Amino acid sequence: MATNNEFRTCPDTGLLFHKPAETLMRLNAVVAVVFLMFGGIFGLLVGLTRWPAVHLLPADTFYLVLTSHGINVLIFWVIFFEVAVLYFCSSTLLRVRLATPRMAWLGFALMLIGAVTNNIAVLSGRSSVMMTSYVPMSAEPAFYLGLILFAVGALIACFVFLGTLVIARAEKTYEGSLPLVTFGALTAAIIAIFTIASGAIILIPTFLWSVGYISNIDPLMYRVIWWALGHSSQQINVAAHVAVWYAIAGVVFGAKPLSEKVSRTAFLMYILFLQLASAHHILVDPGVSSEWKIFNTSYAMYLAVMASMIHGLTVPGSIEAAQRKRGFNKGLFEWLRKAPWGNPTFSGMFLSLIIFGFIGGISGVVMGVEQINLIIHNTIYVPGHFHATVATGTTLAFMALTYWLVPILFRRKLMLAGLAKIQPYIFGLGMSGVALFMMGAGTLGVPRRHWDMAFSGATMPYDFPAAAYTLMGLAGASVVLAVIGGAIFILVVVLSVFFGKRLGDTEKSAVPMIAQPVTSYEGIGIGSIAIPGTLVLAMVFLASFVLYYFVNWKYLAQTWGLS
């Protein structure tokens, strides 16, 4: 049992922080932001190289930078932050001590050592194999060893999280079912365990191959198993940032889910079906059967998409219901117009939801259809898609939560509040441009991995339409805007955490960070639709999806003449 002096009560929220868990949350969040900074710098260099008019880096440097950008942003930044979220959702939300803090420290140390080891291997210039690291391309043994150490550390963090849930149940620190936000974090942890196990199955033999103990790794087998790691790791992000959406809806509006059972069912569907979305990366591979491809690009995909659509309806729906309960009832959208758009915690979350759903979600479904996938497979459409999902949806949600955590967790006042207010809009606009313009260029056939779309000096050159060059130029300009938005976030957070005015243990932040919860929606929806504005937004989404879906079938039909 923990003693009372091991806990701190937040004066703003009433949350109970276990001090060892609090320290680990802070460290994981700070290290996450550091890797976001490195990944952002490398992303700027990648964007300026893919911009045809600039074409900044030579080929060898480009692939080095691209490798580091992908791993730092898609793995190290998000998973370090997600570990902080796991500890917050277990220890803090359940008001319980963190299980085995020493093991949590071991996990953090392994993650940090692994991340640094991997970066050193890449920056040494002998491991430019990109994030996918497909064999028979070979990286330095330290490249694979770093990823393995990082994965083991993350696995330890997941088990510490699960152990904390067991302690909370045993000590009866909460009543009834797990809170929905903690349930969402549990979903992320379960997917993470599956993902890390997949990584171990393929990365450990690949490490042994790199040092000469194994003579051969079958490239086809590698791809199939690696994508159970590569894509599923992004599904950890989806479950985690959806949990953050629910948390922020409660923090800012005091909103409660319209139906916890429905939301929990959607999270369960993530566990069962979401990681199967990795199928779209191997739809042209002969190593898996047609039956497997068809099942995973139809029934399984539809169930995963349904889960995301449930969250996309219930999160804004809960906000609308809470706003209408407070009197914002005029027309369809007064509840949305009167939302606190100057609060970066809300604006970042809502932009995350919109961009993830409209750009990332719709494009993901299109990519996951076996037939349509053939016209965009391995084009720059693919990174365009995950710049909408992970680089925007997940990152904006985590940024939004960070603005709330600065005074709550770090006990510092937020500095440069004016910049913080506009940062989500700058970053969201820039990343949306990156995603849309890359997807447009990919539809025109621009390759995903080639550093020079002009194929300068090639024996058999290929000329893309002029529109493709324009779109890649716009994507490059959007990268610059997104990096400015990311730099503002890092500047605000770093200055606030290290130089912001320190708040005392009982001093409030002077900014209302949490709304009083709406305990009942009685009177809303009796004889009418409870959330008409949200339903209109859902219909707009559906119309956008249907239109884009059939436009892509039209593009596919234009290739039929080739047969």
Side-chain angles (χ1 to χ4, degrees):
M1 294 289 291
T3 58
N4 288 334
N5 60 5
E6 289 183 319
F7 288 91
R8 173 183 70 83
T9 301
C10 173
D12 285 287
T13 64
L15 293 171
L16 197 65
F17 285 91
H18 184 221
K19 291 180 181 178
E22 184 178 28
T23 301
L24 283 160
M25 282 183 254
R26 290 174 178 175
L27 282 174
N28 277 284
V30 168
V31 171
V33 171
V34 171
F35 282 107
L36 174 65
M37 178 183 69
F38 283 122
I41 292 171
F42 293 133
L44 176 63
L45 297 176
V46 170
L48 292 177
T49 304
R50 295 306 304 256
W51 188 344
V54 178
H55 204 50
L56 181 66
L57 300 176
D60 55 348
T61 307
F62 170 77
Y63 288 113
L64 183 154
V65 167
L66 180 60
T67 301
S68 186
H69 167 65
I71 293 175
N72 279 305
V73 174
L74 294 179
I75 296 180
F76 298 150
W77 140 245
V78 289
I79 294 182
F80 268 112
F81 197 93
E82 283 158 2
V83 169
V85 170
L86 289 182
Y87 293 159
F88 176 80
C89 290
S90 55
S91 176
T92 303
L93 293 187
L94 300 183
R95 306 174 69 84
V96 69
R97 61 187 173 88
L98 186 72
T100 60
R102 290 183 180 179
M103 290 301 296
W105 275 105
L106 175 62
F108 172 77
L110 288 174
M111 289 173 66
L112 184 58
I113 293 169
V116 171
T117 300
N118 179 269
N119 268 279
I120 291 173
V122 173
L123 296 177
S124 69
R126 296 186 296 273
S127 299
S128 300
V129 292
M130 294 172 284
M131 193 183 82
T132 50
S133 55
Y134 289 145
V135 297
M137 290 191 301
S138 178
E140 290 288 298
F143 176 91
Y144 306 108
L145 180 62
L147 290 177
I148 293 168
L149 291 174
F150 181 85
V152 171
L155 187 62
I156 291 173
C158 290
F159 286 129
V160 171
F161 165 78
L162 295 176
T164 306
L165 299 188
V166 172
I167 293 173
R169 172 61 71 181
E171 297 182 357
K172 299 180 179 179
T173 61
Y174 67 96
E175 296 180 359
S177 302
L178 279 176
L180 181 62
V181 175
T182 304
F183 190 85
L186 175 61
T187 300
I190 291 171
I191 296 175
I193 292 169
F194 165 84
T195 300
I196 294 167
S198 302
I201 290 170
I202 195 59
L203 286 178
I204 292 175
T206 307
F207 167 71
L208 296 175
W209 168 71
S210 71
V211 297
Y213 285 107
I214 291 178
S215 62
N216 179 62
I217 298 289
D218 181 72
L220 193 58
M221 179 272 295
Y222 178 96
R223 281 174 55 86
V224 172
I225 300 177
W226 189 92
W227 277 113
L229 160 72
H231 201 102
S232 297
S233 62
Q234 311 317 317
Q235 314 311 338
I236 308 170
N237 308 333
V238 173
H241 79 230
V242 170
V244 169
W245 291 350
Y246 281 107
I248 291 176
V251 163
V252 178
F253 300 96
K256 60 187 183 68
L258 299 177
S259 170
E260 282 215 10
K261 289 182 179 179
V262 171
S263 296
R264 290 175 192 273
T265 301
F267 276 122
L268 179 61
M269 292 167 70
Y270 274 172
I271 296 173
L272 297 175
F273 302 107
L274 189 61
Q275 61 269 35
L276 294 174
S278 58
H280 78 76
H281 292 281
I282 51 178
L283 287 178
V284 300
D285 288 23
V288 289
S289 67
S290 297
E291 292 83 358
W292 185 90
K293 294 175 183 178
I294 293 169
F295 175 81
N296 285 289
T297 56
S298 55
Y299 304 106
M301 182 186 70
Y302 301 151
L303 291 170
V305 171
M306 182 186 296
S308 287
M309 293 180 72
I310 288 171
H311 294 308
L313 181 69
T314 57
V315 173
S318 67
I319 293 172
E320 179 177 0
Q323 287 284 79
R324 289 184 181 277
K325 187 67 176 177
R326 289 189 166 85
F328 298 111
N329 287 307
K330 294 180 181 178
L332 288 174
F333 295 115
E334 186 190 23
W335 65 275
L336 193 56
R337 289 187 290 105
K338 296 295 180 67
W341 291 100
N343 179 348
T345 297
F346 166 72
S347 62
M349 180 278 287
F350 208 82
L351 288 172
S352 163
L353 189 153
I354 295 297
I355 296 169
F356 176 84
F358 275 83
I359 304 179
I362 292 175
S363 62
V365 174
V366 168
M367 284 172 51
V369 175
E370 184 179 15
Q371 298 89 341
I372 301 176
N373 179 272
L374 295 177
I375 64 175
I376 53 180
H377 183 81
N378 253 357
T379 68
I380 206 161
Y381 189 106
V382 179
H385 157 73
F386 58 69
H387 276 80
T389 53
V390 181
T392 310
T394 300
T395 298
L396 261 179
F398 289 175
M399 287 175 171
L401 184 65
T402 301
Y403 287 125
W404 180 70
L405 288 176
V406 166
I408 301 303
L409 177 61
F410 290 91
R411 303 305 297 150
R412 298 278 188 169
K413 280 199 171 182
L414 196 67
M415 296 183 66
L416 304 177
L419 279 178
K421 288 182 179 180
I422 63 173
Q423 183 272 328
Y425 301 100
I426 296 174
F427 184 81
L429 179 63
M431 290 308 303
S432 296
V434 172
L436 288 170
F437 295 132
M438 289 173 79
M439 282 163 27
T443 303
L444 295 175
V446 175
R448 173 182 181 180
R449 300 179 185 274
H450 202 285
W451 76 293
D452 179 17
M453 65 177 288
F455 295 101
S456 303
T459 304
M460 299 179 65
Y462 180 83
D463 291 327
F464 290 101
Y469 290 90
T470 301
L471 288 168
M472 289 304 296
L474 291 170
S478 298
V479 167
V480 174
L481 182 61
V483 169
I484 291 172
I488 292 173
F489 168 76
I490 292 169
L491 177 67
V492 170
V493 170
V494 169
L495 289 179
S496 300
V497 167
F498 291 102
F499 305 105
K501 179 185 175 183
R502 187 181 296 276
L503 298 170
D505 289 341
T506 59
E507 181 183 359
K508 293 189 176 183
S509 62
V511 177
M513 298 300 294
I514 188 166
Q516 291 298 315
V518 176
T519 57
S520 172
Y521 292 149
E522 184 179 356
I524 296 179
I526 298 177
S528 63
I529 298 175
I531 48 172
T534 301
L535 291 179
V536 169
L537 293 176
M539 291 301 104
V540 171
F541 171 86
L542 181 60
S544 303
F545 166 70
V546 170
L547 177 62
Y548 186 67
Y549 187 77
F550 283 104
V551 163
N552 277 273
W553 276 103
K554 178 65 166 61
Y555 289 152
L556 179 64
Q558 292 176 347
T559 69
W560 292 349
L562 297 176
S563 62

